[in-house]
Structures are given as structure tokens and as C-alpha cells.
Amino acid sequence: MKMKDEYVKSFHKQSTKSLKKKFPGRPWIQEVQSAWISKKELLALLEDNDANGLRIHYGCHHESTHKDPQKDYHGLHNVILVATVDAVNPDNPTMKNSMDQLREPGEKRPKSMARTTGAYAGKGGDLIPLCPPNCP
């Protein structure tokens, strides 16, 4: 809780202020405080990429994600979940040996050549529900 409170005090307020200046047509905009993913989706991401790890990147939506401006993530910070594979030590994966399973558009396989199938194959999860705007 102390880490969450510190985030709100130090980063959230200043970032929300900056977003309101950048997007004056969206006066309701607030910086994100959390993101959520179901176990089913997380397991699908790992299984579809035959992964034994997960890298969490920090990012920012650089384009519109929704037609409704109140649900649009444009400009908001986000986490990007990327399946990883440690082919050197698959039973005890390490960050050092883990390769991201992302594909470039048009690429059939990720650069690590892992066997991938399913809806999440070669993709990172970047449209997971954010709060705000989608708070419980």
C-alpha cells in the first residue's frame, strides 16, 4: 500500500496534470493506476507461446484504441505482457537467457523460433483493462 500511495503522490498527480494539458478535449482523463488480466488470459499468453517466463514492459499508448473518447487509452501509460522462453535452462528460467516471443508484423515466427500457436502467439498483451478509465 505504501508503494501505491507513493505512486499516487509522486507520479500520478503530475502525469494526470500533463495528460490534461496534452489532451484538452478530454478533461476527464487521468493517469492509469492499475491494469488487470485474468488467469485464463495470462495462461493463454504463456501457453500459446510455449513460454516459461513473462517480461513486463512499461509503455504508453501512442494512438487511439477506442472510438469512445472516454474509453480511449491514447496517451495513457500501460504495462505490456510479453511471453518469454529460456531455451538454455527451461526448467529454471532466468531473465538473462529469456527471449521475448514478440513478432514483427508479417513475421511468421518470433526471432527465438519457439513453437507458437493460438490467439496470443507472437503477441504481447497491451490492451488489458486499465483503471482508470475501466475501474471496478
Side-chain angles (χ1 to χ4, degrees), residues 98-109:
S98 293
M99 294 185 66
D100 288 0
Q101 298 302 292
L102 290 175
R103 296 184 201 166
E104 294 297 324
E107 228 182 348
K108 290 187 179 181
R109 290 180 169 271

Side-chain angles (χ1 to χ4, degrees), residues 11-84:
F11 184 80
H12 184 265
K13 287 180 183 179
Q14 189 60 36
S15 188
T16 295
K17 208 175 187 179
S18 178
L19 283 170
K20 288 181 183 288
K21 284 182 185 176
K22 184 175 180 177
F23 301 101
R26 295 164 62 194
W28 58 84
I29 197 168
Q30 287 188 55
E31 187 52 83
V32 172
Q33 291 186 37
S34 66
W36 182 87
I37 186 168
S38 71
K39 178 180 178 179
K40 180 181 175 182
E41 290 173 299
L42 183 57
L43 290 175
L45 174 66
L46 296 171
E47 289 168 6
D48 287 353
N49 289 283
D50 200 22
N52 54 17
L54 181 73
R55 191 173 327 278
I56 302 170
H57 293 273
Y58 298 101
C60 184
H61 286 282
H62 62 280
E63 56 190 32
S64 182
T65 61
H66 201 281
K67 290 179 183 176
D68 181 346
Q70 294 211 12
K71 295 178 181 176
D72 192 8
Y73 290 175
H74 185 203
L76 297 179
H77 289 98
N78 198 358
V79 291
I80 305 152
L81 306 177
V82 179
T84 65

